[in-house]
Amino acid sequence: MAAASDPVELGAPWGPARPEPPPTRFHSVHGANIRVDPSGTRATRVESFAHGVCFSREPLAPGQVFLVEIEEKELGWCGHLRLGLTALDPASLAAVPEFSLPDLVSLGHTWVFAITRHHNRVPREGRPEAEALAPSCPPALLVEPHLCIEQFRIPRDRLVGRSRPGLYSHLLDQLYELNMLPPTARRSRLGVLFCPRPDGTADMHIVINGEDMGPSARGLPAAQPLYAVVDVFASTKSVRLVQVEYGLPSLQTLCRPVIQRGVVHRLAIDGLHLPKGLKDFCKYE
């Protein structure tokens, strides 16, 4: 994995000179009410509404997206998922704080935000504050296959949430692709990454269903290891990690849109003469 302190050429693609990062996993250090499954890819809060703070197992590489999908919600609580980065090594914590906000942030070197669609954006120094409120690009989510965030170009396919297979899944999927659903809806996909800058600092970006929300924080120490923070808080009960393809897309990723164009809805994929693994990928991933 590329270390956070490695120099990153602006716009450098993933490839032999810049290997793709390994699959993301949750850290074994987490909040008291969190249970991580044996694969390290699913985190569930088993009681209460707090003590749900999780971390990435490894520091993120520049441009690497730590992407989670909301799997389960729980009624009766006020509040939603929180997401961010920390320069604190989770293994060095004497105890995992009850909340990411404000407890973990108050320890310093931590940047965490409650997930919303608008208020996390910060303007660049010397630019009008209105820049922070303006969308980063037109809503071309159905057309543009890549998401460009500063110097990084990330395939959008895995970044966008998908509905459960059903008769109307083809209609619901468009709501995820256009990012018209609440950002903390079930099956929404939320990611965090950092982008180094020439001055040695980094910007933190939050991605909601394939749309960059703009820089949420600036001036992060790019030379230090930065771990992802996911707070499975309140009405968010369970999340799973989604792996992002950075280089050439896999064959199954290339096949999926072609297969889906040939059926009315995803349930019809079961009737196709295709390998089961490919059918499951087209239906669920």
Side-chain angles (χ1 to χ4, degrees):
M1 182 186 72
S5 58
D6 291 346
V8 178
E9 180 185 350
L10 296 184
W14 303 97
R18 185 168 175 253
E20 287 193 33
T24 53
R25 296 289 185 269
F26 285 114
H27 205 288
S28 58
V29 173
H30 49 69
N33 288 335
I34 286 292
R35 300 295 179 267
V36 175
D37 77 334
S39 71
T41 62
R42 182 175 280 100
T44 303
R45 194 187 69 253
V46 294
E47 61 179 281
S48 182
F49 65 94
H51 288 291
V53 177
C54 305
F55 305 94
S56 59
R57 182 182 296 177
E58 304 289 342
L60 300 186
Q64 180 184 11
V65 183
F66 195 80
L67 184 67
V68 299
E69 179 178 283
I70 297 177
E71 280 212 314
E72 292 183 50
K73 304 291 291 284
E74 187 171 53
L75 299 177
W77 302 114
C78 181
H80 302 279
L81 186 86
R82 295 160 174 188
L83 193 61
L85 296 169
T86 183
L88 303 174
D89 183 347
S92 69
L93 296 175
V96 177
E98 182 177 7
F99 303 103
S100 60
L101 286 171
D103 302 0
L104 182 64
V105 171
S106 69
L107 298 179
H109 304 289
T110 301
W111 303 264
V112 175
F113 293 89
I115 292 297
T116 70
R117 187 171 276 122
H118 301 293
H119 80 269
N120 293 337
R121 210 172 273 152
V122 293
R124 294 201 183 282
E125 188 174 350
R127 295 194 183 184
E129 189 170 328
E131 179 193 76
L133 302 176
S136 56
C137 60
L141 302 187
L142 289 173
V143 179
E144 175 53 52
H146 289 84
L147 175 65
C148 295
I149 303 179
E150 298 193 18
Q151 66 266 44
F152 298 104
R153 188 168 178 264
I154 305 164
R156 181 174 269 121
D157 182 73
R158 296 288 185 91
L159 302 179
V160 181
R162 306 181 74 215
S163 64
R164 297 184 184 277
L167 294 177
Y168 303 102
S169 56
H170 60 296
L171 300 176
L172 293 172
D173 287 347
Q174 292 184 24
L175 299 180
Y176 287 101
E177 290 167 348
L178 293 171
N179 207 4
M180 297 177 67
L181 295 175
T184 53
R186 186 181 283 107
R187 312 278 288 186
S188 279
R189 294 185 178 180
L190 313 163
V192 63
L193 70 155
F194 72 93
C195 302
R197 300 190 56 76
D199 63 1
T201 66
D203 293 346
M204 183 181 85
H205 287 250
I206 289 175
V207 177
I208 300 176
N209 286 319
E211 182 182 359
D212 174 28
M213 296 294 103
S216 298
R218 301 188 190 276
L220 279 67
Q224 295 184 31
L226 293 171
Y227 294 82
V229 179
V230 179
D231 192 350
V232 186
F233 175 69
S235 64
T236 304
K237 183 175 179 63
S238 181
V239 297
R240 75 175 181 99
L241 288 172
V242 179
Q243 307 305 325
V244 178
E245 296 177 338
Y246 296 94
L248 293 174
S250 65
L251 181 59
Q252 61 184 6
T253 297
L254 293 172
C255 288
R256 185 173 72 182
V258 178
I259 293 170
Q260 290 178 341
R261 282 198 295 268
V263 297
V264 176
H265 50 74
R266 277 190 272 142
L267 288 179
I269 293 174
D270 285 330
L272 301 178
H273 296 289
L274 296 171
K276 183 179 184 302
L278 180 57
K279 289 195 287 188
D280 288 345
F281 178 81
C282 293
K283 286 173 60 180
Y284 299 111
E285 286 299 315

